[in-house]
């Protein structure tokens, strides 16, 4: 429904909605610290054994550069389509090679309990979190680590006392 906060919806309820469920997103997302509210849209359609979820969400997060320790803003834009398996897990063959090829071909990575809920806010959280970098780097113009002093010693001054031990 338009304009309402994202709340979990029973899978059984979605089964009876032929056109699916549509949400307009304009709110903070629990667990994601962002400068702006997350904005976008999300549509979920029950299709028998799968829930088809299509969504687009964007926001801006502030991160700390791992190299220079300065804060920088990073825009996040998730534009995703995902099929979520509803029901018991699909049978997995005992051959490990077959497992890899089936997992890659099916595209069904998650499973929902048919008696449970679909949580659209958590789904949006996961999609945006997948876009966060493993190493935060502010960009090409990063000044690098701060210099400790101008007295000619180029290392961390906390190690200066150990410098003479190696000779």
């Amino acid at each position: 429904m338009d304009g309402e906060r994202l709340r979990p919806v029973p899978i059984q309820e979605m089964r009876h909605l032929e056109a699916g469920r549509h949400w307009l997103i304009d709110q903070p997302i629990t667990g994601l610290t962002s400068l702006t509210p997350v904005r976008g849209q999300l549509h979920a359609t029950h299709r028998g054994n799968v829930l088809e979820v299509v969504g687009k969400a964007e926001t801006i997060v502030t991160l700390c550069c791992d190299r220079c320790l300065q804060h920088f803003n990073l825009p996040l834009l998730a534009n995703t389509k995902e099929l979520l398996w509803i029901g018991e897990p699909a049978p997995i063959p005992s051959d490990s090679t077959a497992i890899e090829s089936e997992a890659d071909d099916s595209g069904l990575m998650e499973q929902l309990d048919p008696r449970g809920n679909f949580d659209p806010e958590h789904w949006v959280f996961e999609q945006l979190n997948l876009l966060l970098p493993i190493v935060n780097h502010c960009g090409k113009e990063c000044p690098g680590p701060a210099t400790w002093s101008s007295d000619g010693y180029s290392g961390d001054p906390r190690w200066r006392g150990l410098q003479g031990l190696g000779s």
Side-chain angles (χ1 to χ4, degrees), residues 87-98:
E88 298 300 317
I92 299 175
S94 59
D95 181 17
S96 63
T97 327

Side-chain angles (χ1 to χ4, degrees), residues 24-72:
L24 290 179
I25 307 166
D26 189 7
Q27 69 182 63
I29 296 294
T30 304
L32 182 71
T33 305
S34 59
L35 278 176
T36 62
V38 175
R39 293 186 175 94
Q41 55 187 324
L42 179 64
H43 191 83
T45 309
H46 193 291
R47 302 204 183 280
N49 289 338
V50 297
L51 184 67
E52 178 183 44
V53 184
V54 179
K56 181 177 182 179
E58 60 185 312
T59 191
I60 300 171
V61 295
T62 299
L63 302 174
C64 181
C65 180
D66 292 332
R67 189 163 183 243
C68 70
L69 303 179
Q70 296 298 313
H71 288 90
F72 67 99

